[in-house]
């Protein structure tokens, strides 16, 4: 907390004690609590401000930021919209809305909101930095340099702008320049923050590309430690996600698919495809390849099975209820799925529809029961590359992401998921085919032709231009940079980091052998 904010908060607290606090006083106390990490206290203060002025844009924006931090993006957006409706020229509401949209992957909306901030406040550092970050995601180096320069002119050392510039340097092959940008900046951020995490991940990437494996590992480990620290309170008392996965896997053997009646309602899509596997296995690559098919639409990492999750996975032992589904309930759950697809902006009617989400592998029992007509592509990759890549990647906040903050946790989660997948493949009626990442990148045409034959869709040379598809669609997963650049062989990236992987090899070895990868 800055000295100015601390002094203002002290004056506001004194006013509150005497019952004379104004809207501005309550908002000041809200920001003071927020800066100190007391989200509950901040929320109470902003609510006090709204009790005095129900349409106060500052209080609404403050609450929106708290909701965004808690992952409640829809409510956060509604609070931003209320603030903007009350005060259309309040720049901080537009800025917070940009943050919310970016957190939800709606990058064009985020770009529009950042642009609105800049129109209201020329030279606004955070808005220019946000535009630079979106340009970096899209691979637009010229826009990155323009927007990052504007941000740094207003706020030297802006971490988001520096991260965008470092991303451009990495993409251009200048890892040393990227390291020179971010390494000093990490030292200037003494406490854990999302900004420091991003810079540390970029530092790790830069060090890895210059052959400094020890420095790269140290940077990734530091970033993960920050992630765990920042989110520790949110996950306190929750079971590790690997334990949840193991609980689901243990229930599969008791299912009786022989008694499952097929759905009676037709699928609206002409071909329904799930692309599953495990994070960092090549799912985004395959998604964009398939999105290049004529008449195809793809949706990445969206909670399309939310209603089924609540019905069968939320409670211990709930998976067994799949055996008891009647036709009406089955149709209701299928309808809820397709409504979520439509709500995401996709009209699946008569289209090839691709639902890509690597951790929907955990939901293979739900897919088998609800969508027996769907084709499932299970992407496989060397477990060592997968586990190392998950450890070194800065993921959005999910239950699984907390497991990825250490190599032992990542390996344990990977093994739990592979056990579930193996059980599902052995027990359940699935139209499933495996796609090995190394074959896809090393023999593209033959592998994609085999995939199309399995899917019963015609192969086309358009599949080779998946990078154009990715640039046109926009990619919000951690693989955006690689997929935009075209076919990229990322096999055996684990080798420089073998000393750090060695302790988890006993956990991975059964899967290295089962999937046919050499020791």
């Amino acid at each position: 907390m800055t000295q100015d904010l601390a002094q203002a908060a002290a004056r506001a607290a004194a006013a509150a004690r005497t019952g004379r606090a104004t809207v501005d006083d309550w908002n000041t106390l809200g920001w003071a609590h927020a800066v100190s990490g007391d989200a509950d206290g901040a929320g109470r203060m902003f609510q006090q401000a709204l009790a005095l002025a129900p349409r106060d844009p500052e209080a609404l924006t403050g609450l929106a930021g708290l909701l965004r931090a808690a992952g409640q993006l829809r409510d956060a957006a509604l609070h931003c919209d209320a603030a903007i409706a009350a005060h259309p020229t309040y720049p901080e509401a537009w800025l917070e809305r940009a943050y919310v949209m970016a957190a939800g992957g709606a990058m064009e909306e985020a770009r529009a909101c950042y642009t609105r901030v800049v129109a209201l406040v020329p030279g606004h550092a955070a808005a220019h930095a946000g535009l630079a970050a979106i340009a970096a995601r899209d691979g637009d180096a010229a826009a990155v340099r323009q927007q990052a320069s504007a941000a740094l002119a207003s706020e030297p050392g802006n971490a988001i702008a520096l991260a965008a510039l470092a991303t451009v340097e990495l993409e251009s092959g200048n890892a040393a320049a990227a390291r020179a940008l971010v390494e000093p900046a990490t030292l200037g951020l003494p406490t854990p923050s999302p900004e420091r995490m991003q810079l540390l991940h970029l530092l790790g990437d830069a060090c890895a590309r210059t052959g400094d494996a020890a420095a790269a590992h140290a940077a990734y480990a530091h970033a993960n430690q920050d992630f765990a620290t920042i989110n520790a309170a949110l996950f306190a008392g929750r079971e590790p996600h690997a334990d949840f996965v193991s609980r689901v896997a243990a229930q599969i053997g008791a299912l009786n698919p022989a008694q499952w009646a097929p759905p009676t309602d037709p699928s609206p899509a002409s071909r329904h495809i799930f692309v599953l596997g495990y994070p960092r296995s090549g799912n985004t690559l395959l998604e964009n390849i398939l999105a290049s098919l004529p008449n195809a639409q793809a949706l990445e990492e969206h909670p399309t099975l939310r209603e089924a999750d609540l019905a069968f996975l939320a409670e211990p032992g709930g998976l067994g209820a799949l055996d008891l589904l009647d036709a009406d309930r089955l149709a209701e759950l299928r309808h809820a799925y397709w409504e979520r697809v439509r709500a995401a902006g996709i009209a699946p009617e008569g289209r090839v529809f691709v639902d890509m989400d690597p951790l929907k592998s955990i939901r293979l029992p739900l897919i088998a029961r609800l969508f027996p007509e769907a084709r499932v592509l299970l992407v496989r990759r060397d477990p060592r590359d997968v586990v190392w890549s998950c450890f070194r990647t800065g993921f959005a906040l999910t239950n699984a992401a907390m497991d990825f903050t250490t190599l032992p946790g990542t390996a344990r989660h990977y093994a739990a998921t592979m056990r579930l997948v193996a059980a599902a493949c052995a027990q359940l009626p699935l139209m499933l085919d495996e796609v090995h990442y190394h074959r896809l990148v090393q023999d593209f045409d033959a592998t994609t032709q085999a995939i199309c034959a399995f899917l019963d869709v015609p192969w086309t040379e358009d599949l080779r231009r998946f990078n154009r598809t990715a640039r046109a669609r926009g990619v919000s997963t951690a693989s955006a940079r690689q997929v935009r650049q075209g076919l990229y062989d990322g096999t055996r990236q684990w080798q420089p980091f073998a000393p750090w992987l060695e302790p988890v090899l006993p956990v991975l070895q059964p899967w290295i052998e089962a999937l046919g990868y050499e020791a």
Side-chain angles (χ1 to χ4, degrees):
M1 187 186 306
T2 66
Q3 184 177 358
D4 287 347
L5 180 56
Q7 291 173 347
R11 291 192 295 270
R17 286 193 295 270
T18 61
R20 294 196 297 268
T22 65
V23 171
D24 288 344
D25 289 329
W26 290 118
N27 281 331
T28 296
L29 290 170
W31 294 119
H33 280 277
V35 168
S36 67
D38 179 9
D40 291 340
R44 290 193 298 271
M45 300 302 103
F46 289 131
Q47 291 290 0
Q48 290 281 7
L50 291 176
L52 295 177
R55 301 179 66 205
D56 180 71
E58 185 175 359
L60 288 166
T61 301
L63 286 170
L66 297 174
L67 290 164
R68 170 173 56 85
Q72 299 176 47
L73 299 183
R74 182 178 181 276
D75 289 340
L78 290 174
H79 278 71
C80 290
D81 290 344
I84 290 167
H87 197 321
T89 59
Y90 185 61
E92 298 310 309
W94 286 104
L95 182 66
E96 180 56 44
R97 192 174 192 276
Y99 293 155
V100 173
M101 293 299 111
M107 293 304 180
E108 289 308 310
E109 280 290 318
R111 192 197 313 271
C113 292
Y114 284 130
T115 301
R116 178 64 173 158
V117 176
V118 171
L120 292 168
V121 185
H124 194 292
H128 280 297
L131 289 168
I134 293 174
R137 185 206 68 148
D138 294 342
D140 187 346
V144 168
R145 297 188 191 283
Q146 177 187 357
Q147 297 295 343
S149 295
L152 293 168
S154 296
E155 184 187 317
N158 182 285
I160 302 301
L162 289 172
L165 287 172
T167 300
V168 167
E169 296 293 356
L170 283 170
E171 289 202 5
S172 66
N174 197 347
R179 183 173 184 173
L181 278 168
V182 299
E183 194 160 26
T186 62
L187 301 176
L189 297 171
T191 58
S193 67
E195 292 78 16
R196 190 170 79 172
M197 283 165 41
Q198 183 180 16
L199 291 173
L200 285 166
H201 278 294
L202 286 165
L203 176 59
D205 292 347
C207 292
R209 294 193 189 188
T210 56
D212 192 345
H217 174 264
Y220 296 137
H222 193 177
N224 288 343
Q225 184 180 25
D226 278 4
F227 184 91
T229 299
I230 291 168
N231 297 298
L234 184 61
F235 284 87
R238 295 193 195 183
E239 69 174 339
H241 196 247
D243 291 352
F244 165 76
V245 174
S246 295
R247 283 199 295 104
V248 175
Q251 301 172 57
I252 292 175
L255 294 175
N256 184 11
Q259 71 182 49
W260 293 355
T264 56
D265 57 316
S267 169
S270 63
R271 177 69 69 230
H272 186 191
I273 305 165
F274 287 95
V275 174
L276 314 178
Y278 198 81
R280 309 301 294 161
S281 293
N283 301 81
T284 301
L285 170 62
L286 182 55
E287 174 206 1
N288 282 279
I289 291 168
L290 297 177
S292 303
L293 287 166
N295 199 37
Q297 286 189 309
L299 184 61
E300 65 180 31
E301 298 186 3
H302 198 78
T304 48
L305 287 165
R306 177 64 175 163
E307 284 72 20
D309 282 353
L310 293 174
F312 304 108
L313 300 184
E315 298 296 331
L319 201 60
L322 285 174
D323 286 343
L324 308 177
L325 267 184
D326 61 26
D328 289 343
R329 180 61 172 148
L330 180 58
E332 180 183 330
L333 290 167
R334 284 165 59 91
H335 176 75
Y337 172 91
W338 289 113
E339 284 304 296
R340 284 192 173 270
V341 171
R342 294 184 183 98
I346 288 180
E349 284 72 17
R351 308 290 293 273
V352 173
F353 172 62
V354 182
D355 187 337
M356 188 285 287
D357 189 342
L359 285 180
K360 275 199 180 87
S361 299
I362 298 164
R363 292 152 177 84
L364 277 170
L366 308 183
I367 292 169
R369 183 66 185 99
L370 269 60
F371 302 106
E373 75 279 14
R375 309 291 171 98
V376 178
L377 293 171
L378 191 65
V379 187
R380 302 291 205 178
R381 188 181 179 190
D382 187 323
R384 293 160 294 191
D385 273 328
V386 170
V387 166
W388 171 253
S389 190
C390 285
F391 173 76
R392 59 164 285 269
T393 297
F395 288 103
L397 179 61
T398 63
N399 290 339
M402 288 297 283
D403 286 33
F404 298 157
T405 56
T406 67
L407 281 168
T410 309
R412 182 170 175 267
H413 188 277
Y414 176 86
T417 305
M418 293 304 103
R419 286 193 295 270
L420 185 153
V421 169
C425 291
Q427 177 81 3
L428 304 177
L430 290 159
M431 287 195 286
L432 182 146
D433 193 26
E434 293 188 355
V435 177
H436 282 265
Y437 169 82
H438 69 279
R439 294 174 190 156
L440 183 60
V441 298
Q442 293 171 3
D443 194 356
F444 183 87
D445 282 2
T447 304
T448 54
Q449 286 165 6
I451 291 169
C452 288
F454 168 72
L455 298 176
D456 194 22
V457 296
W459 185 88
T460 167
E461 291 186 0
D462 288 340
L463 272 63
R464 296 173 181 158
R465 294 182 279 275
F466 66 87
N467 55 324
R468 297 182 188 177
T469 303
R471 286 195 292 269
R473 292 177 63 229
V475 177
S476 356
T477 69
S479 303
R481 188 192 313 163
Q482 294 96 324
V483 174
R484 276 200 323 270
Q485 291 176 331
L487 203 59
Y488 165 80
D489 188 348
T491 56
R492 304 192 74 81
Q493 290 187 351
W494 64 270
Q495 285 183 314
F497 305 96
W500 295 280
L501 280 166
E502 187 172 353
V504 303
L505 284 182
V507 178
L508 300 180
Q509 194 60 42
W511 304 105
I512 294 171
E513 296 173 3
L515 297 177
Y517 292 93
E518 64 184 55

